[in-house]
CSV table of all heavy atoms in Angstrom, one decimal:
chain,number,residue,atom,x,y,z
X,338,THR,N,-3.4,-13.6,16.8
X,338,THR,CA,-4.0,-12.8,17.9
X,338,THR,C,-5.2,-12.0,17.4
X,338,THR,O,-6.0,-11.5,18.3
X,338,THR,CB,-3.0,-11.9,18.5
X,338,THR,OG1,-2.6,-10.8,17.6
X,338,THR,CG2,-1.8,-12.6,19.0
X,339,ARG,N,-5.5,-11.9,16.1
X,339,ARG,CA,-6.6,-11.2,15.6
X,339,ARG,C,-7.9,-11.9,15.9
X,339,ARG,O,-7.9,-13.2,16.0
X,339,ARG,CB,-6.4,-10.9,14.1
X,339,ARG,CG,-5.1,-10.3,13.8
X,339,ARG,CD,-4.9,-8.9,14.4
X,339,ARG,NE,-3.6,-8.3,14.1
X,339,ARG,CZ,-3.4,-7.2,13.3
X,339,ARG,NH1,-4.4,-6.6,12.9
X,339,ARG,NH2,-2.2,-6.8,13.1
X,340,PRO,N,-9.0,-11.2,15.9
X,340,PRO,CA,-10.3,-11.9,16.1
X,340,PRO,C,-10.5,-13.0,15.0
X,340,PRO,O,-10.0,-12.8,13.9
X,340,PRO,CB,-11.3,-10.8,15.9
X,340,PRO,CG,-10.6,-9.5,16.3
X,340,PRO,CD,-9.2,-9.8,15.9
X,341,ALA,N,-11.2,-14.0,15.3
X,341,ALA,CA,-11.3,-15.2,14.4
X,341,ALA,C,-11.9,-14.7,13.1
X,341,ALA,O,-12.9,-14.0,13.0
X,341,ALA,CB,-12.3,-16.2,15.0
X,342,GLY,N,-11.1,-15.1,12.0
X,342,GLY,CA,-11.6,-14.9,10.7
X,342,GLY,C,-11.3,-13.5,10.2
X,342,GLY,O,-11.7,-13.1,9.1
X,343,GLN,N,-10.7,-12.6,11.0
X,343,GLN,CA,-10.5,-11.2,10.6
X,343,GLN,C,-9.1,-10.9,10.1
X,343,GLN,O,-8.9,-9.8,9.4
X,343,GLN,CB,-10.7,-10.3,11.9
X,343,GLN,CG,-12.2,-10.3,12.3
X,343,GLN,CD,-13.1,-9.6,11.2
X,343,GLN,OE1,-12.9,-8.5,10.8
X,343,GLN,NE2,-14.0,-10.4,10.7
X,344,ALA,N,-8.1,-11.7,10.3
X,344,ALA,CA,-6.8,-11.4,9.8
X,344,ALA,C,-6.7,-11.4,8.3
X,344,ALA,O,-7.3,-12.2,7.6
X,344,ALA,CB,-5.7,-12.4,10.4
X,345,ARG,N,-6.0,-10.4,7.7
X,345,ARG,CA,-5.7,-10.4,6.3
X,345,ARG,C,-4.2,-10.1,6.1
X,345,ARG,O,-3.6,-9.4,6.8
X,345,ARG,CB,-6.5,-9.2,5.7
X,345,ARG,CG,-8.0,-9.3,5.9
X,345,ARG,CD,-8.6,-10.4,5.0
X,345,ARG,NE,-10.1,-10.5,5.1
X,345,ARG,CZ,-10.8,-11.2,6.0
X,345,ARG,NH1,-10.1,-11.9,6.9
X,345,ARG,NH2,-12.1,-11.2,6.0
X,346,LEU,N,-3.7,-10.8,5.1
X,346,LEU,CA,-2.3,-10.7,4.8
X,346,LEU,C,-2.0,-10.3,3.4
X,346,LEU,O,-2.7,-10.5,2.4
X,346,LEU,CB,-1.6,-12.1,5.0
X,346,LEU,CG,-1.8,-12.8,6.3
X,346,LEU,CD1,-1.1,-14.1,6.3
X,346,LEU,CD2,-1.2,-11.9,7.4
X,347,ALA,N,-0.9,-9.6,3.2
X,347,ALA,CA,-0.3,-9.2,1.9
X,347,ALA,C,1.2,-9.5,2.0
X,347,ALA,O,1.8,-9.1,3.0
X,347,ALA,CB,-0.6,-7.8,1.5
X,348,VAL,N,1.7,-10.1,0.9
X,348,VAL,CA,3.2,-10.4,0.9
X,348,VAL,C,3.8,-9.6,-0.3
X,348,VAL,O,3.3,-9.7,-1.4
X,348,VAL,CB,3.5,-11.9,0.7
X,348,VAL,CG1,5.0,-12.1,0.6
X,348,VAL,CG2,2.9,-12.6,1.9
X,349,HIS,N,4.8,-8.8,-0.1
X,349,HIS,CA,5.4,-8.0,-1.1
X,349,HIS,C,6.9,-8.5,-1.3
X,349,HIS,O,7.5,-9.0,-0.4
X,349,HIS,CB,5.5,-6.6,-0.7
X,349,HIS,CG,4.1,-6.0,-0.4
X,349,HIS,ND1,3.0,-6.2,-1.1
X,349,HIS,CD2,3.7,-5.2,0.7
X,349,HIS,CE1,2.0,-5.6,-0.6
X,349,HIS,NE2,2.4,-5.0,0.5
X,350,HIS,N,7.4,-8.3,-2.5
X,350,HIS,CA,8.7,-8.7,-2.9
X,350,HIS,C,9.3,-7.8,-3.9
X,350,HIS,O,8.6,-7.0,-4.5
X,350,HIS,CB,8.7,-10.2,-3.4
X,350,HIS,CG,7.8,-10.3,-4.6
X,350,HIS,ND1,8.3,-10.1,-5.9
X,350,HIS,CD2,6.5,-10.6,-4.8
X,350,HIS,CE1,7.3,-10.3,-6.8
X,350,HIS,NE2,6.2,-10.6,-6.1
X,351,PHE,N,10.6,-8.0,-4.2
X,351,PHE,CA,11.2,-7.3,-5.3
X,351,PHE,C,12.3,-8.1,-5.8
X,351,PHE,O,13.4,-8.3,-5.2
X,351,PHE,CB,11.7,-5.9,-4.9
X,351,PHE,CG,12.2,-5.1,-6.1
X,351,PHE,CD1,11.3,-4.8,-7.1
X,351,PHE,CD2,13.4,-4.6,-6.2
X,351,PHE,CE1,11.7,-4.0,-8.2
X,351,PHE,CE2,13.9,-3.9,-7.3
X,351,PHE,CZ,13.0,-3.6,-8.3
X,352,GLY,N,12.1,-8.7,-7.0
X,352,GLY,CA,13.2,-9.6,-7.6
X,352,GLY,C,13.2,-11.0,-7.1
X,352,GLY,O,14.2,-11.7,-7.4
X,353,ASN,N,12.3,-11.4,-6.2
X,353,ASN,CA,12.3,-12.7,-5.6
X,353,ASN,C,10.9,-13.2,-5.4
X,353,ASN,O,10.5,-13.6,-4.3
X,353,ASN,CB,13.0,-12.6,-4.3
X,353,ASN,CG,12.4,-11.6,-3.3
X,353,ASN,OD1,11.8,-10.6,-3.8
X,353,ASN,ND2,12.6,-11.8,-2.0
X,354,GLN,N,10.1,-13.3,-6.5
X,354,GLN,CA,8.7,-13.7,-6.4
X,354,GLN,C,8.6,-15.1,-5.9
X,354,GLN,O,7.6,-15.4,-5.1
X,354,GLN,CB,8.1,-13.6,-7.8
X,354,GLN,CG,6.6,-13.9,-7.8
X,354,GLN,CD,5.9,-13.7,-9.1
X,354,GLN,OE1,6.4,-12.9,-9.9
X,354,GLN,NE2,4.8,-14.3,-9.3
X,355,ALA,N,9.4,-16.0,-6.3
X,355,ALA,CA,9.3,-17.4,-5.8
X,355,ALA,C,9.4,-17.5,-4.3
X,355,ALA,O,8.7,-18.2,-3.7
X,355,ALA,CB,10.4,-18.2,-6.5
X,356,GLU,N,10.4,-16.7,-3.7
X,356,GLU,CA,10.5,-16.7,-2.3
X,356,GLU,C,9.2,-16.2,-1.6
X,356,GLU,O,8.8,-16.7,-0.6
X,356,GLU,CB,11.7,-15.8,-1.9
X,356,GLU,CG,13.0,-16.4,-1.9
X,356,GLU,CD,14.1,-15.6,-1.3
X,356,GLU,OE1,14.1,-14.4,-1.5
X,356,GLU,OE2,14.9,-16.1,-0.5
X,357,ALA,N,8.6,-15.2,-2.2
X,357,ALA,CA,7.4,-14.6,-1.7
X,357,ALA,C,6.2,-15.6,-1.7
X,357,ALA,O,5.5,-15.8,-0.8
X,357,ALA,CB,7.0,-13.3,-2.4
X,358,GLU,N,6.2,-16.4,-2.8
X,358,GLU,CA,5.1,-17.4,-3.0
X,358,GLU,C,5.3,-18.5,-2.0
X,358,GLU,O,4.4,-19.0,-1.4
X,358,GLU,CB,5.1,-17.9,-4.4
X,358,GLU,CG,4.6,-16.9,-5.4
X,358,GLU,CD,4.8,-17.3,-6.9
X,358,GLU,OE1,5.5,-18.3,-7.1
X,358,GLU,OE2,4.2,-16.6,-7.8
X,359,ASP,N,6.6,-18.9,-1.8
X,359,ASP,CA,6.9,-19.9,-0.8
X,359,ASP,C,6.5,-19.5,0.6
X,359,ASP,O,5.9,-20.2,1.4
X,359,ASP,CB,8.4,-20.3,-0.8
X,359,ASP,CG,8.7,-21.1,-2.0
X,359,ASP,OD1,7.8,-21.6,-2.7
X,359,ASP,OD2,10.0,-21.2,-2.3
X,360,LEU,N,6.8,-18.2,0.9
X,360,LEU,CA,6.4,-17.7,2.2
X,360,LEU,C,4.9,-17.7,2.4
X,360,LEU,O,4.4,-18.0,3.5
X,360,LEU,CB,7.0,-16.3,2.4
X,360,LEU,CG,6.6,-15.5,3.7
X,360,LEU,CD1,7.0,-16.2,4.9
X,360,LEU,CD2,7.2,-14.1,3.6
X,361,ALA,N,4.2,-17.2,1.4
X,361,ALA,CA,2.7,-17.2,1.4
X,361,ALA,C,2.1,-18.6,1.7
X,361,ALA,O,1.2,-18.8,2.4
X,361,ALA,CB,2.2,-16.6,0.2
X,362,ARG,N,2.7,-19.6,1.0
X,362,ARG,CA,2.2,-21.0,1.2
X,362,ARG,C,2.4,-21.4,2.6
X,362,ARG,O,1.6,-22.1,3.2
X,362,ARG,CB,2.9,-21.9,0.2
X,362,ARG,CG,2.3,-21.9,-1.2
X,362,ARG,CD,2.9,-23.0,-2.1
X,362,ARG,NE,4.3,-22.8,-2.4
X,362,ARG,CZ,4.7,-22.2,-3.6
X,362,ARG,NH1,3.8,-21.8,-4.4
X,362,ARG,NH2,5.9,-22.1,-3.8
X,363,ARG,N,3.6,-21.1,3.2
X,363,ARG,CA,3.8,-21.6,4.6
X,363,ARG,C,2.9,-20.8,5.5
X,363,ARG,O,2.4,-21.4,6.5
X,363,ARG,CB,5.3,-21.3,4.9
X,363,ARG,CG,6.3,-22.2,4.2
X,363,ARG,CD,7.7,-22.2,4.8
X,363,ARG,NE,8.2,-20.9,4.8
X,363,ARG,CZ,8.9,-20.3,3.8
X,363,ARG,NH1,9.1,-21.0,2.7
X,363,ARG,NH2,9.5,-19.1,3.9
X,364,LEU,N,2.6,-19.6,5.3
X,364,LEU,CA,1.7,-18.8,6.1
X,364,LEU,C,0.3,-19.4,6.0
X,364,LEU,O,-0.4,-19.4,7.0
X,364,LEU,CB,1.7,-17.3,5.7
X,364,LEU,CG,3.0,-16.6,6.2
X,364,LEU,CD1,3.0,-15.2,5.5
X,364,LEU,CD2,3.1,-16.5,7.7
X,365,ALA,N,-0.1,-19.9,4.8
X,365,ALA,CA,-1.4,-20.5,4.7
X,365,ALA,C,-1.5,-21.7,5.5
X,365,ALA,O,-2.6,-22.0,6.1
X,365,ALA,CB,-1.6,-20.8,3.2
X,366,VAL,N,-0.5,-22.5,5.6
X,366,VAL,CA,-0.5,-23.7,6.4
X,366,VAL,C,-0.5,-23.3,7.9
X,366,VAL,O,-1.3,-23.9,8.7
X,366,VAL,CB,0.8,-24.6,6.1
X,366,VAL,CG1,0.8,-25.7,7.1
X,366,VAL,CG2,0.7,-25.1,4.7
X,367,ALA,N,0.3,-22.3,8.3
X,367,ALA,CA,0.3,-21.9,9.7
X,367,ALA,C,-1.0,-21.2,10.2
X,367,ALA,O,-1.3,-21.3,11.3
X,367,ALA,CB,1.5,-21.0,9.9
X,368,LEU,N,-1.7,-20.6,9.2
X,368,LEU,CA,-2.9,-19.8,9.5
X,368,LEU,C,-4.1,-20.3,8.7
X,368,LEU,O,-4.5,-19.6,7.8
X,368,LEU,CB,-2.6,-18.3,9.3
X,368,LEU,CG,-1.5,-17.7,10.1
X,368,LEU,CD1,-1.1,-16.4,9.5
X,368,LEU,CD2,-1.9,-17.6,11.6
X,369,PRO,N,-4.6,-21.5,8.9
X,369,PRO,CA,-5.6,-22.1,8.1
X,369,PRO,C,-6.9,-21.3,8.0
X,369,PRO,O,-7.7,-21.4,7.1
X,369,PRO,CB,-5.8,-23.5,8.7
X,369,PRO,CG,-5.3,-23.4,10.1
X,369,PRO,CD,-4.2,-22.4,10.0
X,370,GLU,N,-7.2,-20.5,9.1
X,370,GLU,CA,-8.4,-19.7,9.1
X,370,GLU,C,-8.3,-18.4,8.4
X,370,GLU,O,-9.3,-17.6,8.2
X,370,GLU,CB,-8.9,-19.5,10.5
X,370,GLU,CG,-9.3,-20.7,11.3
X,370,GLU,CD,-9.8,-20.4,12.6
X,370,GLU,OE1,-9.9,-19.3,13.0
X,370,GLU,OE2,-10.2,-21.4,13.3
X,371,CYS,N,-7.1,-18.0,8.0
X,371,CYS,CA,-6.8,-16.7,7.3
X,371,CYS,C,-6.9,-16.9,5.8
X,371,CYS,O,-6.4,-17.8,5.3
X,371,CYS,CB,-5.4,-16.2,7.7
X,371,CYS,SG,-5.0,-14.6,7.0
X,372,PRO,N,-7.6,-16.0,5.1
X,372,PRO,CA,-7.6,-16.1,3.6
X,372,PRO,C,-6.2,-16.0,3.1
X,372,PRO,O,-5.3,-15.5,3.7
X,372,PRO,CB,-8.4,-14.8,3.2
X,372,PRO,CG,-9.2,-14.4,4.4
X,372,PRO,CD,-8.3,-14.8,5.6
X,373,PRO,N,-5.9,-16.6,1.9
X,373,PRO,CA,-4.6,-16.6,1.3
X,373,PRO,C,-4.0,-15.2,1.2
X,373,PRO,O,-4.8,-14.3,0.9
X,373,PRO,CB,-4.8,-17.3,0.0
X,373,PRO,CG,-6.0,-18.1,0.1
X,373,PRO,CD,-6.9,-17.3,1.1
X,374,ALA,N,-2.7,-15.1,1.4
X,374,ALA,CA,-2.1,-13.8,1.3
X,374,ALA,C,-2.1,-13.3,-0.1
X,374,ALA,O,-1.9,-14.0,-1.1
X,374,ALA,CB,-0.7,-13.9,1.8
Side-chain angles (χ1 to χ4, degrees):
T338 65
R339 307 299 178 114
Q343 289 296 301
R345 300 291 186 266
L346 303 179
V348 176
H349 305 314
H350 60 86
F351 188 60
N353 54 334
Q354 182 174 341
E356 278 190 314
E358 291 172 348
D359 287 343
L360 175 59
R362 278 192 288 268
R363 292 194 300 273
L364 287 170
V366 173
L368 300 164
E370 294 185 1
C371 181

